[in-house]
Structure formats: C-alpha cells, structure tokens
Amino acid sequence: MAELFDLYLEHAIGDTPLVPLKNISSPSSGQVWLKLESGNPTGSYKDRMAYAVFKNAFARGDITTGSRLVEYTGGSTGTSLAHIASRTGIQFIAVSSDAFAQSKIDSMLAYGAEVITIPSEDQKITPDLIAAMREKAYAIAEEPNTHYADQFGSPDVIEGYVAMGQEIADQIGAPIDVFCAAVGTGGAFTGTAKGLHQAGHQPDLIGLEPLQSPFLTTGEGGSHRIEGIGLGFTPPFLNLNQCSEIRAIDQNDAFHMCRRLATEEGLLCGPSTGLNVSAGLAIASERGPDTVVVTLGCDHGSKYFTIDKS
Ligand SMILES: Cc1ncc(COP(=O)(O)O)c(C=O)c1O
C-alpha cells in the first residue's frame, strides 16, 4: 500500500457539532460554545491528528506494509493511532502507563496494539513519568523498520487540526472573541487557531493548564489527574507569543464541571473538557454578555468512569 485513502476514515472523522452551553452559563455572561469531538470513531479529537499522521507518512513512504509505528501516549492518541493502524495493517506500539484510564489501555489492546506500561507513582501523572515514557518510545523507534509518530513535533499533527478551526468558523456565523483550550502537545490548540485564522477570525488565544501542574504559568510542573495535558514542559507546538494569556485551572473544578456538563447540559465529557469549560465560563463571565468564547470538547466522558477523581 503506497498511500492511505479510505472513504470510511474520510467520512467518519471530523464534521462534529458545535454546541452552545445553554443551562450552566449565566445570562449576564458571554456565550460559550463547545466543539464536541466525542463523535469521532474513538471518541476523541485525536482521531483527526492520527489520520493526518498516517496519511502523510504513507504518502511520503515513511511507513509501508510491514512497518511498525511507535508513540508514547496516555492512551487517547494511542487509541486513535491503534484504530488507524488496524485499518491499514500496520503494527502499532504504544508506550503508556498505569497513571492513565485503564479503558484507554484496553481500547489500544482491543485494536491490536502492543502496549508497554511504565509504572507510575500512585497513578499520578508527573514530569518524570512522561520523560520515562518518552525515553522508552525513542529507544523502540531506533529499531529497524519502526517509525516514530512524533505527536509533539510532526507538522502532520497541526495539519490534522486545521479543519477543526475551519469547521468552527463555518458553524458559528459570528465573530469569535476568545478561543481557549487546554494544552498537552499543543497540537489541537495551535492547529485549531490556525484554521480559525485562515477563515478570517482573530480571537484572543488563551492556553490552559491544570493548576496542580502549572509549568506554563510558573515554570514548575507537578502531579495531577487531568489526562493528556499539563506535561511539565513547553510543547514545541505552543507559540507563547501568539497567546494573550495562559491560565491555570484547578483540576477539582474540572471534575466538578464534568458532572455539571452531564447532568445539566446532557454532555458526557472527559476531564480536559471539564477544564476547558470551567475556563470558558470564567472568561465569558469576565468579558460580559456580548462575548463569544469557543472551546474544545476533547473526548467522551465514558472513558473515565473508573478513574480516581480525588
Ligand atoms: C483527553 C485529552 N485532552 C486534551 C489533550 C490535549 O491535546 P493536545 O495534545 O492536542 O494539546 C489530550 C492529549 O493527549 C487528551 O488526551
């Protein structure tokens, strides 16, 4: 197979709804809109980047039949990569950890991925854990016929998210004052912002991180429980000069917001989405009634039923 062209994947990924929050925002606040990505095949916006990574790697000849692909991942990216790896007959190796939701490890295994688990301390996500996962993935990538997906550096990742910004611009039909989103690799934040800019929007860009791992705001990472973000370093995709602000949000507010989104808005979302919405509502309240704030619904909440939220 020289390239990836797949009608199922073309149609199944993207074109997700943009949903206004109706019941949890106050009338004296601006409007918050959520780009709800849980409808993608693996329930996460990571399907967008995984498809772009595979498509371009096939097109360049970086992977061909018989190749292996490796990445270190909390499991969302890994599940998205495992899904497309299975579809295209490529062996995917995920370097992950018991700090992340077991359902994500199970999903990667279900798609036929090999999962290497690096043990964590008390199931906490720490900068040291991320570094150990990275080291292992780099070592595997040195083996013959093995391609490193490079979710932190590949331009394919950004390309995968540009359409998300363009979709938001088409759907909203109004000027966007603020785009805010939590930052892991920074791919979704930066790619979506690029798509918004290409569509003529110039919102203030506000990056978000967990208060318990406030590396971007204080230079000091810490342990926290919001999967996929707050990694303890500035990711190469994040251009701090583009951001009008970086804001740290308490993980407890994020978990609380997940429960409110489910019970008051009918939206079952993961913790990073809870964090995005907490920040979005605060920003909309500060800026007042005529403001339009857009944020991302990163993934589906059903992946997190079994995690410890304390
Ligand atoms: C659930 C979840 N939310 C948010 C993010 C952050 O996305 P990005 O890496 O594009 O910054 C991730 C990344 O893994 C994630 O898994």
Side-chain angles (χ1 to χ4, degrees):
M1 188 188 307
E3 62 177 36
L4 170 63
F5 177 73
D6 187 318
L7 270 182
Y8 151 64
L9 292 173
E10 290 279 336
H11 286 116
I13 297 170
D15 279 330
T16 55
L18 182 69
V19 180
L21 298 180
K22 293 197 301 184
N23 305 322
I24 57 176
S25 49
S26 124
S28 59
S29 288
Q31 179 68 62
V32 178
W33 295 78
L34 190 60
K35 182 68 167 160
L36 201 63
E37 287 286 298
S38 49
N40 285 309
T42 76
S44 154
Y45 63 37
K46 294 285 177 176
D47 287 341
R48 294 179 184 264
M49 62 75 79
Y51 188 41
V53 163
F54 267 92
K55 199 171 174 174
N56 292 327
F58 271 114
R60 284 191 298 264
D62 291 344
I63 48 175
T64 54
T65 310
S67 297
R68 304 189 314 167
L69 187 85
V70 65
E71 185 56 279
Y72 69 99
T73 164
S76 298
T77 296
T79 303
S80 298
L81 290 170
H83 164 236
I84 298 178
S86 163
R87 182 89 188 147
T88 54
I90 297 293
Q91 178 62 33
F92 174 57
I93 305 164
V95 180
S96 195
S97 169
D98 59 359
F100 304 101
Q102 182 62 36
S103 69
K104 295 183 184 175
I105 309 273
D106 292 342
S107 297
M108 291 190 283
L109 291 168
Y111 281 118
E114 181 185 339
V115 181
I116 296 166
T117 307
I118 308 287
S120 66
E121 253 179 57
D122 296 334
Q123 296 189 297
K124 292 227 163 102
I125 305 160
T126 61
D128 284 352
L129 174 67
I130 301 294
M133 289 165 59
R134 180 171 53 229
E135 214 169 287
K136 181 73 182 167
Y138 283 179
I140 294 169
E142 293 297 312
E143 294 171 15
N145 213 12
T146 307
H147 180 65
Y148 177 49
D150 196 9
Q151 62 163 323
F152 287 92
S154 165
D156 305 336
V157 172
I158 299 294
E159 187 197 308
Y161 290 116
V162 169
M164 189 147 70
Q166 289 165 339
E167 287 169 28
I168 292 168
D170 289 345
Q171 289 164 318
I172 202 150
I176 301 168
D177 299 294
V178 177
F179 169 62
C180 65
V183 172
T185 67
F189 180 76
T190 301
T192 305
K194 186 173 174 188
L196 288 172
H197 287 154
Q198 285 178 356
H201 288 270
Q202 298 292 337
D204 286 350
L205 301 178
I206 302 185
L208 308 172
E209 66 178 355
L211 186 62
Q212 286 74 9
S213 182
F215 184 85
L216 300 172
T217 46
T218 68
E220 193 93 2
S223 72
H224 68 98
R225 293 192 184 276
I226 308 287
E227 297 188 20
I229 66 169
L231 303 180
F233 57 90
T234 304
F237 290 143
L238 183 67
N239 179 354
L240 289 169
N241 295 329
Q242 260 200 329
C243 299
S244 44
E245 186 188 339
I246 303 287
R247 200 176 274 219
I249 306 292
D250 194 317
Q251 66 183 12
N252 299 315
D253 293 345
F255 286 123
H256 179 64
M257 189 54 67
C258 287
R259 287 189 280 276
R260 291 197 65 193
L261 281 168
T263 56
E264 297 177 48
E265 295 279 350
L267 304 173
L268 191 58
C269 300
S272 57
T273 304
L275 188 138
N276 284 350
V277 172
S278 284
L281 288 172
I283 294 162
S285 165
E286 289 157 21
R287 298 208 177 195
D290 297 325
T291 314
V292 173
V293 178
V294 173
T295 191
L296 300 177
C298 315
D299 68 354
H300 199 273
S302 61
K303 298 179 183 204
Y304 302 94
F305 283 148
T306 57
I307 65 162
D308 175 4
K309 300 174 182 84
S310 59

